[in-house]
Amino acid sequence: MVHKIGERIQRFRKEQAMSQEEFGAVLNVSRQAISKWENGDSLPDVYNLIAISRLFHISIDELVLGTPTALYSKNIIQDVREKRKKSLLYGRLCILLASLVLTPPLIIMDALNVKNPTFGAVAAGAISLVGIITFFAVHYFLKAMHLKEELTYLGKIKTEKLNAE
């Protein structure tokens, strides 16, 4: 397997018409390190695998396993879009629920000018519940933001992959 990875690295490097020196300079490693990878004497570390896959516009699976993956397929992008929509929906529902739970006790307490300890305890419980719901709302909104960044990244990679072809 190590030899196969080396063969693939060499093939991709030669397709780009790069010498081992040039390739090493791009990755900030020595020509000897490139030679060892290509001969199967050693493997690049994870950071170099990532850099190599980005440089050659291929997935790490394709580099390591030799099998092109559907990393840039519409299905993955569509799945991320759907997850983002769900996260936004859950976040909005949590905010709505929080406002519905918090508002009536506070309005009633203010309107009736109640200083009853029992009612105060109920209000404190409601406020705690609102805090928990707000936590989940923030969680889902942050998740949606991360998914948006992932979509942007996948779209950028897909565009680069299409432009390279």
Side-chain angles (χ1 to χ4, degrees), residues 42-128:
S42 67
L43 290 171
D45 63 17
V46 174
Y47 298 108
N48 283 320
L49 283 175
I50 293 168
I52 293 167
S53 69
R54 287 184 178 167
L55 178 67
F56 297 136
H57 301 286
I58 58 173
S59 69
I60 293 177
D61 282 353
E62 187 172 352
L63 182 62
V64 174
L65 303 175
T67 55
T69 60
L71 177 65
Y72 312 111
S73 73
K74 290 181 182 177
N75 293 338
I76 291 176
I77 293 174
Q78 189 62 30
D79 289 346
V80 172
R81 282 188 180 132
E82 288 174 14
K83 285 180 187 176
R84 182 171 183 269
K85 284 181 183 178
K86 279 185 183 178
S87 291
L88 285 171
L89 175 66
Y90 293 153
R92 289 176 182 135
L93 288 175
C94 287
I95 290 292
L96 177 65
L97 184 61
S99 65
L100 291 175
V101 170
L102 178 63
T103 307
L106 293 177
I107 291 172
I108 292 170
M109 282 177 57
D110 188 48
L112 298 176
N113 200 17
V114 175
K115 298 192 187 276
N116 185 341
T118 306
F119 199 72
V122 170
I127 291 171
S128 299

Side-chain angles (χ1 to χ4, degrees), residues 104-157:
L106 293 177
I107 291 172
I108 292 170
M109 282 177 57
D110 188 48
L112 298 176
N113 200 17
V114 175
K115 298 192 187 276
N116 185 341
T118 306
F119 199 72
V122 170
I127 291 171
S128 299
L129 182 61
V130 167
I132 292 168
I133 293 170
T134 303
F135 165 80
F136 283 108
V138 169
H139 165 77
Y140 286 118
F141 282 122
L142 289 176
K143 185 175 179 182
M145 295 281 294
H146 291 296
L147 291 171
K148 181 180 179 187
E149 291 171 7
E150 186 176 343
L151 277 172
T152 304
Y153 177 73
L154 287 172
K156 180 181 173 186
I157 289 176

